mmCIF file of all heavy atoms in Angstrom:
data_model
loop_
_atom_site.group_PDB
_atom_site.id
_atom_site.type_symbol
_atom_site.label_atom_id
_atom_site.label_comp_id
_atom_site.label_asym_id
_atom_site.label_seq_id
_atom_site.Cartn_x
_atom_site.Cartn_y
_atom_site.Cartn_z
ATOM 1 N N ALA B 127 6.245 8.176 10.855
ATOM 2 C CA ALA B 127 6.145 6.784 11.269
ATOM 3 C C ALA B 127 6.229 6.708 12.817
ATOM 4 O O ALA B 127 7.029 7.446 13.437
ATOM 5 C CB ALA B 127 7.299 5.988 10.674
ATOM 6 N N TYR B 128 5.352 5.863 13.355
ATOM 7 C CA TYR B 128 5.395 5.624 14.802
ATOM 8 C C TYR B 128 5.838 4.182 15.026
ATOM 9 O O TYR B 128 5.055 3.239 14.915
ATOM 10 C CB TYR B 128 4.014 5.899 15.434
ATOM 11 C CG TYR B 128 4.011 5.659 16.919
ATOM 12 C CD1 TYR B 128 4.624 6.588 17.799
ATOM 13 C CD2 TYR B 128 3.413 4.563 17.471
ATOM 14 C CE1 TYR B 128 4.629 6.380 19.155
ATOM 15 C CE2 TYR B 128 3.411 4.361 18.835
ATOM 16 C CZ TYR B 128 4.019 5.254 19.677
ATOM 17 O OH TYR B 128 4.041 5.039 21.012
ATOM 18 N N ALA B 129 7.173 4.004 15.201
ATOM 19 C CA ALA B 129 7.763 2.659 15.229
ATOM 20 C C ALA B 129 8.700 2.444 16.399
ATOM 21 O O ALA B 129 9.897 2.146 16.219
ATOM 22 C CB ALA B 129 8.416 2.333 13.882
ATOM 23 N N PRO B 130 8.179 2.676 17.624
ATOM 24 C CA PRO B 130 9.076 2.619 18.782
ATOM 25 C C PRO B 130 9.555 1.184 19.069
ATOM 26 O O PRO B 130 10.571 1.014 19.800
ATOM 27 C CB PRO B 130 8.242 3.109 19.911
ATOM 28 C CG PRO B 130 6.827 2.849 19.526
ATOM 29 C CD PRO B 130 6.795 2.989 18.018
ATOM 30 N N TYR B 131 8.898 0.176 18.532
ATOM 31 C CA TYR B 131 9.292 -1.238 18.867
ATOM 32 C C TYR B 131 10.221 -1.807 17.827
ATOM 33 O O TYR B 131 11.298 -2.311 18.209
ATOM 34 C CB TYR B 131 8.003 -2.109 19.038
ATOM 35 C CG TYR B 131 7.053 -1.450 19.996
ATOM 36 C CD1 TYR B 131 5.881 -0.878 19.566
ATOM 37 C CD2 TYR B 131 7.417 -1.294 21.362
ATOM 38 C CE1 TYR B 131 5.029 -0.184 20.438
ATOM 39 C CE2 TYR B 131 6.586 -0.590 22.239
ATOM 40 C CZ TYR B 131 5.372 -0.081 21.791
ATOM 41 O OH TYR B 131 4.577 0.601 22.671
ATOM 42 N N SER B 132 9.899 -1.718 16.562
ATOM 43 C CA SER B 132 10.781 -2.268 15.530
ATOM 44 C C SER B 132 11.829 -1.281 15.080
ATOM 45 O O SER B 132 12.843 -1.657 14.553
ATOM 46 C CB SER B 132 9.979 -2.675 14.307
ATOM 47 O OG SER B 132 9.529 -1.533 13.576
ATOM 48 N N ARG B 133 11.573 -0.003 15.275
ATOM 49 C CA ARG B 133 12.415 1.116 14.778
ATOM 50 C C ARG B 133 12.527 1.059 13.192
ATOM 51 O O ARG B 133 13.443 1.659 12.621
ATOM 52 C CB ARG B 133 13.863 1.056 15.331
ATOM 53 C CG ARG B 133 13.881 1.005 16.826
ATOM 54 C CD ARG B 133 14.150 2.359 17.402
ATOM 55 N NE ARG B 133 13.967 2.347 18.838
ATOM 56 C CZ ARG B 133 13.481 3.327 19.591
ATOM 57 N NH1 ARG B 133 13.145 4.433 19.042
ATOM 58 N NH2 ARG B 133 13.350 3.208 20.859
ATOM 59 N N PHE B 134 11.605 0.297 12.584
ATOM 60 C CA PHE B 134 11.590 0.227 11.152
ATOM 61 C C PHE B 134 10.520 1.190 10.642
ATOM 62 O O PHE B 134 9.305 0.941 10.742
ATOM 63 C CB PHE B 134 11.249 -1.226 10.747
ATOM 64 C CG PHE B 134 11.512 -1.569 9.300
ATOM 65 C CD1 PHE B 134 12.731 -1.904 8.812
ATOM 66 C CD2 PHE B 134 10.414 -1.471 8.389
ATOM 67 C CE1 PHE B 134 12.924 -2.203 7.449
ATOM 68 C CE2 PHE B 134 10.588 -1.760 7.045
ATOM 69 C CZ PHE B 134 11.858 -2.142 6.562
ATOM 70 N N ARG B 135 10.976 2.293 10.129
ATOM 71 C CA ARG B 135 10.052 3.399 9.799
ATOM 72 C C ARG B 135 9.651 3.278 8.320
ATOM 73 O O ARG B 135 10.514 3.162 7.450
ATOM 74 C CB ARG B 135 10.709 4.724 10.064
ATOM 75 C CG ARG B 135 11.144 4.878 11.521
ATOM 76 C CD ARG B 135 12.117 6.010 11.750
ATOM 77 N NE ARG B 135 11.491 7.298 11.434
ATOM 78 C CZ ARG B 135 10.666 7.928 12.241
ATOM 79 N NH1 ARG B 135 10.439 7.405 13.445
ATOM 80 N NH2 ARG B 135 10.105 9.063 11.912
ATOM 81 N N VAL B 136 8.338 3.344 8.064
ATOM 82 C CA VAL B 136 7.847 3.211 6.692
ATOM 83 C C VAL B 136 6.875 4.340 6.346
ATOM 84 O O VAL B 136 6.084 4.772 7.154
ATOM 85 C CB VAL B 136 7.116 1.857 6.547
ATOM 86 C CG1 VAL B 136 6.754 1.605 5.087
ATOM 87 C CG2 VAL B 136 7.937 0.674 7.044
ATOM 88 N N GLY B 137 7.007 4.802 5.094
ATOM 89 C CA GLY B 137 6.091 5.821 4.607
ATOM 90 C C GLY B 137 5.454 5.359 3.314
ATOM 91 O O GLY B 137 6.100 4.673 2.506
ATOM 92 N N ALA B 138 4.202 5.729 3.094
ATOM 93 C CA ALA B 138 3.509 5.340 1.833
ATOM 94 C C ALA B 138 2.758 6.568 1.348
ATOM 95 O O ALA B 138 2.328 7.421 2.082
ATOM 96 C CB ALA B 138 2.560 4.185 2.085
ATOM 97 N N GLY B 150 0.483 7.782 4.274
ATOM 98 C CA GLY B 150 0.344 6.924 5.454
ATOM 99 C C GLY B 150 1.671 6.504 6.029
ATOM 100 O O GLY B 150 2.695 6.526 5.315
ATOM 101 N N CYS B 151 1.689 6.143 7.287
ATOM 102 C CA CYS B 151 2.915 5.656 7.912
ATOM 103 C C CYS B 151 2.558 4.429 8.734
ATOM 104 O O CYS B 151 1.376 4.213 8.989
ATOM 105 C CB CYS B 151 3.550 6.724 8.754
ATOM 106 S SG CYS B 151 2.549 7.231 10.140
ATOM 107 N N ASN B 152 3.543 3.661 9.145
ATOM 108 C CA ASN B 152 3.287 2.545 10.036
ATOM 109 C C ASN B 152 3.024 3.100 11.448
ATOM 110 O O ASN B 152 3.662 4.086 11.873
ATOM 111 C CB ASN B 152 4.330 1.472 10.022
ATOM 112 C CG ASN B 152 5.732 1.915 10.286
ATOM 113 O OD1 ASN B 152 6.096 3.056 10.045
ATOM 114 N ND2 ASN B 152 6.548 1.019 10.805
ATOM 115 N N VAL B 153 2.094 2.460 12.127
ATOM 116 C CA VAL B 153 1.737 2.858 13.497
ATOM 117 C C VAL B 153 1.774 1.578 14.346
ATOM 118 O O VAL B 153 1.012 0.685 14.125
ATOM 119 C CB VAL B 153 0.352 3.519 13.586
ATOM 120 C CG1 VAL B 153 0.027 3.949 15.039
ATOM 121 C CG2 VAL B 153 0.241 4.715 12.614
ATOM 122 N N GLU B 154 2.773 1.552 15.255
ATOM 123 C CA GLU B 154 2.984 0.299 16.041
ATOM 124 C C GLU B 154 2.274 0.384 17.407
ATOM 125 O O GLU B 154 2.140 1.459 17.990
ATOM 126 C CB GLU B 154 4.464 0.064 16.209
ATOM 127 C CG GLU B 154 5.106 -0.238 14.870
ATOM 128 C CD GLU B 154 6.594 -0.641 14.959
ATOM 129 O OE1 GLU B 154 7.223 -0.446 16.017
ATOM 130 O OE2 GLU B 154 7.077 -1.160 13.976
ATOM 131 N N ILE B 155 1.823 -0.796 17.866
ATOM 132 C CA ILE B 155 1.119 -0.949 19.129
ATOM 133 C C ILE B 155 1.880 -1.910 19.989
ATOM 134 O O ILE B 155 2.524 -2.813 19.467
ATOM 135 C CB ILE B 155 -0.357 -1.481 18.790
ATOM 136 C CG1 ILE B 155 -1.094 -0.526 17.819
ATOM 137 C CG2 ILE B 155 -1.151 -1.716 20.080
ATOM 138 C CD1 ILE B 155 -1.304 0.893 18.367
ATOM 139 N N TYR B 158 2.066 -5.501 19.534
ATOM 140 C CA TYR B 158 2.654 -5.808 18.174
ATOM 141 C C TYR B 158 1.625 -6.152 17.101
ATOM 142 O O TYR B 158 1.652 -5.594 16.028
ATOM 143 C CB TYR B 158 3.688 -6.966 18.280
ATOM 144 C CG TYR B 158 4.922 -6.693 19.148
ATOM 145 C CD1 TYR B 158 5.032 -5.522 19.902
ATOM 146 C CD2 TYR B 158 5.951 -7.571 19.226
ATOM 147 C CE1 TYR B 158 6.147 -5.278 20.691
ATOM 148 C CE2 TYR B 158 7.078 -7.351 19.997
ATOM 149 C CZ TYR B 158 7.157 -6.213 20.707
ATOM 150 O OH TYR B 158 8.298 -5.926 21.494
ATOM 151 N N THR B 161 -0.419 -3.571 15.154
ATOM 152 C CA THR B 161 0.303 -2.629 14.359
ATOM 153 C C THR B 161 -0.323 -2.575 12.987
ATOM 154 O O THR B 161 -0.785 -3.549 12.431
ATOM 155 C CB THR B 161 1.772 -3.099 14.266
ATOM 156 O OG1 THR B 161 2.376 -2.969 15.538
ATOM 157 C CG2 THR B 161 2.516 -2.364 13.166
ATOM 158 N N ILE B 162 -0.321 -1.312 12.425
ATOM 159 C CA ILE B 162 -0.823 -1.206 11.046
ATOM 160 C C ILE B 162 0.352 -0.670 10.134
ATOM 161 O O ILE B 162 1.089 0.186 10.548
ATOM 162 C CB ILE B 162 -2.058 -0.310 10.960
ATOM 163 C CG1 ILE B 162 -2.612 -0.297 9.504
ATOM 164 C CG2 ILE B 162 -1.795 1.136 11.444
ATOM 165 C CD1 ILE B 162 -4.054 0.174 9.436
ATOM 166 N N CYS B 163 0.456 -1.235 8.966
ATOM 167 C CA CYS B 163 1.488 -0.871 8.037
ATOM 168 C C CYS B 163 1.133 0.464 7.372
ATOM 169 O O CYS B 163 0.012 0.845 7.272
ATOM 170 C CB CYS B 163 1.657 -1.891 6.961
ATOM 171 S SG CYS B 163 2.285 -3.485 7.522
ATOM 172 N N ALA B 164 2.163 1.082 6.794
ATOM 173 C CA ALA B 164 2.003 2.365 6.122
ATOM 174 C C ALA B 164 1.001 2.262 4.936
ATOM 175 O O ALA B 164 0.176 3.188 4.758
ATOM 176 C CB ALA B 164 3.357 2.862 5.554
ATOM 177 N N GLU B 165 1.087 1.208 4.204
ATOM 178 C CA GLU B 165 0.187 1.043 3.025
ATOM 179 C C GLU B 165 -1.269 0.996 3.467
ATOM 180 O O GLU B 165 -2.138 1.595 2.836
ATOM 181 C CB GLU B 165 0.489 -0.286 2.332
ATOM 182 C CG GLU B 165 1.894 -0.363 1.687
ATOM 183 C CD GLU B 165 2.916 -0.989 2.648
ATOM 184 O OE1 GLU B 165 2.901 -0.675 3.833
ATOM 185 O OE2 GLU B 165 3.765 -1.730 2.155
ATOM 186 N N ARG B 166 -1.553 0.240 4.516
ATOM 187 C CA ARG B 166 -2.943 0.139 4.961
ATOM 188 C C ARG B 166 -3.425 1.425 5.580
ATOM 189 O O ARG B 166 -4.579 1.828 5.399
ATOM 190 C CB ARG B 166 -3.138 -1.058 5.925
ATOM 191 C CG ARG B 166 -3.377 -2.337 5.189
ATOM 192 C CD ARG B 166 -3.472 -3.522 6.102
ATOM 193 N NE ARG B 166 -2.181 -3.879 6.640
ATOM 194 C CZ ARG B 166 -2.019 -4.480 7.807
ATOM 195 N NH1 ARG B 166 -3.043 -4.793 8.534
ATOM 196 N NH2 ARG B 166 -0.792 -4.753 8.222
ATOM 197 N N THR B 167 -2.588 2.153 6.279
ATOM 198 C CA THR B 167 -2.964 3.443 6.780
ATOM 199 C C THR B 167 -3.443 4.329 5.617
ATOM 200 O O THR B 167 -4.465 4.960 5.653
ATOM 201 C CB THR B 167 -1.800 4.138 7.588
ATOM 202 O OG1 THR B 167 -1.358 3.294 8.575
ATOM 203 C CG2 THR B 167 -2.221 5.484 8.114
ATOM 204 N N VAL B 185 6.163 3.232 -1.662
ATOM 205 C CA VAL B 185 6.518 2.854 -0.328
ATOM 206 C C VAL B 185 8.029 3.066 -0.052
ATOM 207 O O VAL B 185 8.785 2.620 -0.901
ATOM 208 C CB VAL B 185 6.097 1.443 0.003
ATOM 209 C CG1 VAL B 185 6.541 1.003 1.388
ATOM 210 C CG2 VAL B 185 4.578 1.290 -0.108
ATOM 211 N N VAL B 186 8.393 3.701 1.049
ATOM 212 C CA VAL B 186 9.779 3.850 1.340
ATOM 213 C C VAL B 186 10.064 3.484 2.818
ATOM 214 O O VAL B 186 9.172 3.578 3.667
ATOM 215 C CB VAL B 186 10.260 5.358 1.146
ATOM 216 C CG1 VAL B 186 10.065 5.737 -0.257
ATOM 217 C CG2 VAL B 186 9.577 6.255 2.108
ATOM 218 N N SER B 187 11.276 3.048 3.077
ATOM 219 C CA SER B 187 11.721 2.780 4.425
ATOM 220 C C SER B 187 13.211 3.150 4.536
ATOM 221 O O SER B 187 13.741 3.687 3.568
ATOM 222 C CB SER B 187 11.511 1.315 4.826
ATOM 223 O OG SER B 187 12.502 0.502 4.172
ATOM 224 N N THR B 193 11.574 -2.236 -0.148
ATOM 225 C CA THR B 193 10.657 -2.682 0.897
ATOM 226 C C THR B 193 9.408 -3.262 0.220
ATOM 227 O O THR B 193 8.559 -2.509 -0.220
ATOM 228 C CB THR B 193 10.242 -1.533 1.831
ATOM 229 O OG1 THR B 193 11.460 -0.931 2.286
ATOM 230 C CG2 THR B 193 9.428 -2.025 2.982
ATOM 231 N N PRO B 194 9.290 -4.577 0.172
ATOM 232 C CA PRO B 194 8.081 -5.151 -0.394
ATOM 233 C C PRO B 194 6.946 -5.156 0.656
ATOM 234 O O PRO B 194 7.186 -5.190 1.803
ATOM 235 C CB PRO B 194 8.509 -6.595 -0.756
ATOM 236 C CG PRO B 194 9.580 -6.876 0.179
ATOM 237 C CD PRO B 194 10.248 -5.586 0.632
ATOM 238 N N PRO B 195 5.702 -5.105 0.181
ATOM 239 C CA PRO B 195 4.578 -5.086 1.131
ATOM 240 C C PRO B 195 4.382 -6.468 1.799
ATOM 241 O O PRO B 195 4.658 -7.480 1.211
ATOM 242 C CB PRO B 195 3.379 -4.761 0.246
ATOM 243 C CG PRO B 195 3.757 -5.242 -1.144
ATOM 244 C CD PRO B 195 5.250 -5.072 -1.223
ATOM 245 N N CYS B 196 3.965 -6.482 3.017
ATOM 246 C CA CYS B 196 3.645 -7.698 3.717
ATOM 247 C C CYS B 196 2.438 -8.428 3.075
ATOM 248 O O CYS B 196 1.682 -7.803 2.259
ATOM 249 C CB CYS B 196 3.409 -7.475 5.201
ATOM 250 S SG CYS B 196 1.773 -6.831 5.605
ATOM 251 N N GLY B 197 2.200 -9.652 3.423
ATOM 252 C CA GLY B 197 1.083 -10.393 2.847
ATOM 253 C C GLY B 197 -0.263 -9.745 3.097
ATOM 254 O O GLY B 197 -1.099 -9.682 2.191
ATOM 255 N N CYS B 199 -0.995 -6.618 3.588
ATOM 256 C CA CYS B 199 -1.170 -5.410 2.731
ATOM 257 C C CYS B 199 -1.429 -5.788 1.274
ATOM 258 O O CYS B 199 -2.134 -5.085 0.567
ATOM 259 C CB CYS B 199 0.078 -4.507 2.833
ATOM 260 S SG CYS B 199 0.128 -3.630 4.409
ATOM 261 N N PHE B 212 2.786 -0.678 -7.934
ATOM 262 C CA PHE B 212 3.390 -0.600 -6.574
ATOM 263 C C PHE B 212 4.861 -0.144 -6.757
ATOM 264 O O PHE B 212 5.647 -0.889 -7.358
ATOM 265 C CB PHE B 212 3.297 -2.002 -5.850
ATOM 266 C CG PHE B 212 3.663 -1.919 -4.437
ATOM 267 C CD1 PHE B 212 2.690 -1.850 -3.446
ATOM 268 C CD2 PHE B 212 5.020 -1.931 -4.062
ATOM 269 C CE1 PHE B 212 3.037 -1.792 -2.113
ATOM 270 C CE2 PHE B 212 5.374 -1.839 -2.682
ATOM 271 C CZ PHE B 212 4.372 -1.790 -1.770
HETATM 272 N N1 THU W 69 5.856 -2.298 7.565
HETATM 273 C C1 THU W 69 5.154 -1.422 6.794
HETATM 274 O O1 THU W 69 4.593 -0.431 7.291
HETATM 275 N N2 THU W 69 5.056 -1.685 5.488
HETATM 276 C C2 THU W 69 5.702 -2.668 4.825
HETATM 277 O O2 THU W 69 5.605 -2.772 3.588
HETATM 278 C C3 THU W 69 6.562 -3.612 5.557
HETATM 279 C C4 THU W 69 6.475 -3.515 7.043
HETATM 280 C C5 THU W 69 6.011 -2.014 8.984
HETATM 281 C C6 THU W 69 5.178 -2.848 9.980
HETATM 282 C C7 THU W 69 6.025 -2.676 11.240
HETATM 283 O O3 THU W 69 5.678 -1.507 11.911
HETATM 284 C C8 THU W 69 7.445 -2.536 10.773
HETATM 285 O O4 THU W 69 7.343 -2.172 9.375
HETATM 286 C C9 THU W 69 8.271 -3.766 10.868
HETATM 287 O O5 THU W 69 7.649 -4.853 10.358
#
Side-chain angles (χ1 to χ4, degrees):
Y128 180 73
Y131 309 109
S132 73
R133 308 259 171 216
F134 192 86
R135 302 165 63 78
V136 187
C151 62
N152 55 333
V153 181
E154 295 186 346
I155 301 301
Y158 297 7
T161 290
I162 186 162
C163 294
E165 295 92 322
R166 273 177 289 154
T167 303
V185 176
V186 301
S187 75
T193 306
C196 77
C199 287
F212 189 98

